[in-house]
Amino acid sequence: QKEVEQDPGPLSVPEGAIVSLNCTYSNSAFQYFMWYRQYSRKGPELLMYTYSSGNKEDGRFTAQVDKSSKYISLFIRDSQPSDSATYLCAINNAGNNRKLIWGLGTSLAVNP
Amino acid sequence: EAQVTQNPRYLITVTGKKLTVTCSQNMNHEYMSWYRQDPGLGLRQIYYSMNVEVTDKGDVPEGYKVSRKEKRNFPLILESPSPNQTSLYFCASTFGSGQVYSPLHFGNGTRLTVT
């Protein structure tokens, strides 16, 4: 079993839709959960991170962690064509400095 | 502008011909790292450096070398490239050495093709 699983998609939605992107992980020791966004022909950029459980909101984006289910989600409200990108989850075991475990990324297309 | 600069953006070479991909950051970051990104395999760490003259292997270091003689530069060296090193390469940096939540700043990538 991979440490982090992420459905690669592709996911195609109409503009204005609510998008849900998800990752599952296997190691209950993971504590830091990050979402990176990668536009075509660009490097990834950090979108949001959460520590332990709970929700974190930033504008149209909400990151959610369910440690009991080992499941993390990124919700995008009122999706825009500019949200079209690949979204990668990255998870860290705080006991291992800077060691990020990456999901494969989900490709999202928001159609006008 | 704060950035990580990689050169070249595209590189086509032949098996066995030594090459260097340069990486430079202007944010005074201590930590720098190299990744390769392949379809179906995702991002995999090649090498990382927590400061000048301190480097360590990542998950896929075979066939690669790095050096960190200056804080801002972290070149990736392929002494004898092979076709299985055809990939998209990213350099990344961040401040500190142990803050797991500090954002990684990535360059725009180097597309390497080895024939």
Side-chain angles (χ1 to χ4, degrees):
Chain A
Q1 183 187 7
K2 287 185 179 178
E3 289 187 280
V4 177
E5 303 260 16
Q6 183 176 12
D7 186 339
L11 192 59
S12 182
V13 301
E15 184 175 352
I18 297 174
V19 177
S20 172
L21 304 165
N22 310 294
C23 287
T24 58
Y25 61 95
S26 58
N27 188 339
S28 57
F30 289 143
Q31 295 179 294
Y32 291 90
F33 306 93
M34 283 147 275
W35 287 96
Y36 280 78
R37 177 175 62 195
Q38 185 176 16
Y39 289 116
S40 179
R41 289 188 286 279
K42 296 284 190 183
E45 57 178 345
L46 181 66
L47 194 57
M48 297 182 74
Y49 86 88
T50 52
Y51 171 72
S52 196
S53 284
N55 290 3
K56 187 171 184 178
E57 191 172 316
D58 183 1
R60 296 183 296 107
F61 298 88
T62 299
Q64 192 173 76
V65 176
D66 182 346
K67 291 199 81 177
S68 61
S69 302
K70 300 194 190 79
Y71 192 87
I72 65 170
S73 301
L74 177 70
F75 297 98
I76 307 175
R77 290 186 301 281
D78 187 25
S79 56
Q80 302 295 308
S82 58
D83 296 327
S84 298
T86 297
Y87 291 80
L88 303 112
C89 61
I91 299 176
N92 180 276
N93 178 350
N96 197 343
N97 284 346
R98 303 292 333 149
K99 173 70 173 179
L100 284 174
I101 312 296
W102 295 85
L104 293 182
T106 300
S107 175
L108 171 67
V110 181
N111 306 303
Chain B
E1 181 189 352
Q3 59 186 357
V4 176
T5 303
Q6 291 179 232
N7 280 298
R9 286 295 307 270
Y10 301 92
L11 180 58
I12 301 173
T13 190
V14 295
T15 300
K17 186 175 182 182
K18 181 179 178 180
L19 65 91
T20 299
V21 184
T22 63
C23 174
S24 181
Q25 50 92 5
N26 62 0
M27 294 167 280
N28 202 34
H29 285 164
E30 291 80 12
Y31 181 93
M32 297 186 75
S33 180
W34 277 102
Y35 292 87
R36 60 179 290 175
Q37 188 175 38
D38 300 287
L41 296 174
L43 275 168
R44 294 180 293 167
Q45 189 178 49
I46 303 170
Y47 268 95
Y48 65 95
S49 168
M50 290 196 175
N51 216 322
V52 175
E53 302 291 1
V54 180
T55 63
D56 210 344
K57 296 177 181 178
D59 297 317
V60 288
E62 294 78 19
Y64 305 94
K65 282 177 57 177
V66 292
S67 67
R68 187 91 181 273
K69 293 186 171 59
E70 304 165 283
K71 196 172 186 181
R72 63 183 293 127
N73 295 323
F74 190 45
L76 179 71
I77 302 154
L78 285 72
E79 294 267 4
S80 183
S82 62
N84 65 11
Q85 293 178 298
T86 292
S87 186
L88 180 58
Y89 290 87
F90 288 102
C91 180
S93 72
T94 191
F95 56 84
S97 60
Q99 294 96 331
V100 300
Y101 49 80
S102 54
L104 283 167
H105 297 261
F106 283 83
N108 283 331
T110 295
R111 171 79 63 186
L112 172 65
T113 303
V114 183
T115 61

